[in-house]
Amino acid sequence: MPYKPKERQFLEGKAAELRGKPGVLEGSVLRVEALADVLGLELLPKAGLKDEFGIEAYLAGRKNTIVVDRDAMDFGSPRYFFTLAEEIAHHVIHVDDRSKVTLQTCVLDLSQHDYELLEWDAKYLAGAMLMPVEEFEAIFRKSVQKEKEALGNAGDRETITRYAIRKCYQAFGVSFHAAVIRAQALGLIDSRMKANLEKYLRH
Amino acid sequence: MKPANAPSPENPVVLFGRFVRDCRLALKATARSVANAAGMQPSNLCALEHGMQQPPQNHERLRRLAAALHLEIGTQEFANFADLAAKANNSTPIDLAQILTENDAMPVLLRTIGNKKLTKADLRRISEFVRAT
């Protein structure tokens, strides 16, 4: 059966619902591991997961367990927390305990294209969980305005956007790249600016 | 189906791990914050909670873990923690080890009781008697 992508409004609503769970926020930052606890998900560290399979985490079958790379967990980088949020997103939107649908059964017959849509939904929900739409937009627009005023004519669009992205990733405890993707998903930057920022990131 | 290498739920290492996880969740603390307070790596605490790692053998580390879980010495929770850790490590509970080293007469008393081959009911009566005095 083909995968039916989720509506963005649905995903934003789910994200708001998850951020509303008790004890999961520290200021604006989502404590992803606390959310896993609240949802009854257990984290199981495994040594060498990233080296062997190139992944930092995956949602295991029916045992409500997310297997995580041991070193990535100990290091606790923003990228690790995003990956964890992504696996939680899979659990929330792609697993149904009542009908015993696991992520594995869900992806079994999917085409590559549908599988990518499914992954994109999880990524989108992870981004929305970590960077709520209203707050993100407000910080982004305020920072753009502030930097424009500070730089006057000397400020080019990319420098100003970079500043706004920096303010966003600092506010939500995510990586620069995650904030760039969220900004594009929300229509705050176009694909060309995204490409320029990613190029900047690589250098 | 249960994997062949999954630890049995009655395994003392598993019971200790579950106890630690329950204490942590009751505190609404993440594994990372408890691990930081206990001076452990988060992955080691998670492995311990899953019964895939022995409790710390070192008494000081075990005490730090108890403190990170807000278990106070002298409480029933601390005694349970110490007993489960001792069973998992096949050793003496940390609070008892301290009592034994603090007073020379304690080992003598325990050996005397041990040699008498008393029943559980006898031991319970002695405990009640001591508690009442």
Side-chain angles (χ1 to χ4, degrees), chain A residues 126-146:
Chain A
M129 267 192 251
L130 290 159
M131 298 164 274
V133 58
E134 285 94 358
E135 269 186 80
F136 189 92
E137 282 181 348
I139 293 172
F140 186 90
R141 291 188 203 285
K142 196 177 151 195
S143 306
V144 165
Q145 193 55 38
K146 196 176 162 195

Side-chain angles (χ1 to χ4, degrees), chain A residues 66-192:
Chain A
I66 298 175
V67 182
V68 297
D69 180 79
R70 192 186 65 186
D71 292 342
M73 181 187 211
D74 289 339
F75 190 67
S77 69
R79 185 194 152 116
Y80 162 75
F81 288 118
F82 191 92
T83 308
L84 197 53
E86 212 180 308
E87 297 310 312
I88 292 174
H90 276 306
H91 171 78
V92 172
I93 57 174
H94 297 137
V95 174
D96 185 349
D97 286 336
R98 279 167 301 176
S99 57
K100 300 202 185 320
V101 172
T102 67
L103 183 59
Q104 282 73 13
T105 56
C106 191
V107 300
L108 212 56
D109 298 323
L110 291 184
S111 66
Q112 184 61 29
H113 174 71
D114 280 3
Y115 178 73
E116 281 166 15
L117 291 176
L118 171 135
E119 282 295 327
W120 174 250
D121 277 352
K123 276 192 170 59
Y124 188 93
L125 178 54
M129 267 192 251
L130 290 159
M131 298 164 274
V133 58
E134 285 94 358
E135 269 186 80
F136 189 92
E137 282 181 348
I139 293 172
F140 186 90
R141 291 188 203 285
K142 196 177 151 195
S143 306
V144 165
Q145 193 55 38
K146 196 176 162 195
E147 191 67 347
K148 265 185 186 168
E149 284 166 14
L151 296 177
N153 290 335
D156 64 282
R157 228 177 106 234
E158 193 182 321
T159 308
I160 291 167
T161 309
R162 221 160 42 215
Y163 173 80
I165 291 287
R166 194 161 64 238
K167 286 291 165 194
C168 288
Y169 85 72
Q170 285 169 348
F172 299 108
V174 297
S175 67
F176 184 91
H177 195 214
V180 168
I181 292 171
R182 182 68 170 149
Q184 194 207 8
L186 295 176
L188 296 167
I189 59 170
D190 56 23
S191 55
R192 198 166 154 197

Side-chain angles (χ1 to χ4, degrees), chain A residues 31 33-34 37 40-45 63 65 70 72-76 80-81, chain B residues 3 6 21 24-25 28-33 41-44 46-47 49-50 52:
Chain A
R31 297 159 72 224
E33 291 171 333
D37 281 341
L41 290 165
E42 295 191 19
L43 306 183
L44 181 63
K63 287 172 68 191
T65 301
R70 192 186 65 186
M73 181 187 211
D74 289 339
F75 190 67
Y80 162 75
F81 288 118
Chain B
R21 182 172 166 82
R24 176 175 72 73
L25 291 179
K28 298 190 193 311
T30 59
R32 186 171 301 277
S33 63
Q41 293 282 15
S43 64
N44 285 340
C46 280
E49 286 187 354
H50 279 89
M52 298 175 84

Side-chain angles (χ1 to χ4, degrees), chain B residues 15-102:
Chain B
L15 292 176
F16 179 77
R18 226 182 260 164
F19 182 83
V20 167
R21 182 172 166 82
D22 289 346
C23 290
R24 176 175 72 73
L25 291 179
L27 279 178
K28 298 190 193 311
T30 59
R32 186 171 301 277
S33 63
V34 169
N36 287 342
M40 297 169 76
Q41 293 282 15
S43 64
N44 285 340
L45 184 70
C46 280
L48 191 143
E49 286 187 354
H50 279 89
M52 298 175 84
Q53 191 164 301
Q54 295 278 128
Q57 307 258 350
N58 178 297
H59 283 189
E60 191 44 45
R61 283 197 186 156
L62 208 48
R63 264 193 210 98
R64 277 189 74 178
L65 177 57
L69 293 166
H70 297 195
L71 301 175
E72 286 177 33
I73 297 175
T75 61
Q76 188 55 49
E77 273 96 3
F78 185 90
N80 292 344
F81 172 87
D83 288 347
L84 286 168
K87 264 190 197 162
N89 283 333
N90 209 7
S91 64
T92 312
I94 45 170
D95 51 344
L96 293 191
Q98 196 173 341
I99 293 168
L100 284 170
T101 50
E102 274 172 3

